[in-house]
Amino acid sequence: MKKKNWLLIPMLLVLGLTVLAGCGQKSVASEDVLARDKANKTVVWGVKSDTRLFGLMDIKTNQIQGFDIDIAKELSHRIYGKDVKIDLVPVTSNTRLPLLKNGNVDALIATMTITPERQKQVDFSDVYFDAGQAILVKKGSPIKSVKDLKAGTKVIGVQGSNSVDNVKKAAPDTRVLQLADYAQAFTALKSGQGDALTTDNGILYGMSSDDPNYVVVGGTFTNEPYGIAVNKGQKPFLKAINKNLKAMRQDGTYHKIEQKWFGKIQGFHQGR
Ligand code: GLU
């Protein structure tokens, strides 16, 4: 063998080892999130920023505020300690699952219903909030419940929400207009692009508390149990979340947060 070729062997070896090491590396989404966040003293939550009462950007303070945010902060402090850095990343109903699965966020607390379809893709915590789907209309509208959504009516929903599928089942003849987020959906209702807006009652009550010319009618027609979503394989993280959710309920912290956001919302209560 020529001298030159002898050099090739170690070079190929190094190359091969590099490729092997690359294959062995875990993807971002499959790292042990609990251990990593403990080491980095940072946790990243995907939250809504377009949803009054749950997660809404306050443009004056540039802070996202709401029920989901307070639960996320409380959980972060209990799991990782008071000095943990809490990153809140805005998601929409449509972007949340890909952002979690790509590892851009550690968990989602974003008005997200636990559904069998979603459970195939991610894991959910125990139920932390009980919502139900309803409809919002302009005061005085002839539409009094989901039963009045017939051929010739148009209902507004949001992409990536299960509300859109639910309403197609409950009112198969109505037309459904899908917008990118709840801020745009409410603006579309107010500008007359649809006759009603449909999603979970808590979100709709947030809209009517912002503009009382719009009212929630007809009660709920589905059950929407909210869960915190994490990637599959994150059992220690999920366990820590569930343990602390339970403790928050037992020591009254959950009730305090619930009262802070929903205590003054007339007509709203969790469950059916
Ligand atoms: N809870 C429903 C869902 O998870 C509607 C609210 C939302 O769009 O986040 O799709």
Side-chain angles (χ1 to χ4, degrees), residues 48 93 96 111-113 118 161-163 182 199-200 226:
K48 290 292 185 72
S93 303
R96 60 190 163 191
T111 66
M112 194 167 179
T113 302
R118 290 172 180 162
S161 76
N162 64 344
S163 323
Y182 285 106
T199 183
D200 303 334
Y226 290 178

Side-chain angles (χ1 to χ4, degrees), residues 53 66-67 70-71 74 78 82 247-264 270:
L53 298 178
F67 174 82
D70 284 354
I71 299 285
E74 187 64 34
R78 286 177 188 239
K82 282 276 171 240
M248 278 167 64
R249 284 200 193 258
Q250 280 167 351
D251 68 17
T253 309
Y254 179 91
H255 183 68
K256 237 164 73 193
I257 296 174
E258 187 190 19
Q259 282 303 109
K260 174 180 164 189
W261 293 101
F262 298 98
K264 291 196 191 77
Q270 286 199 49

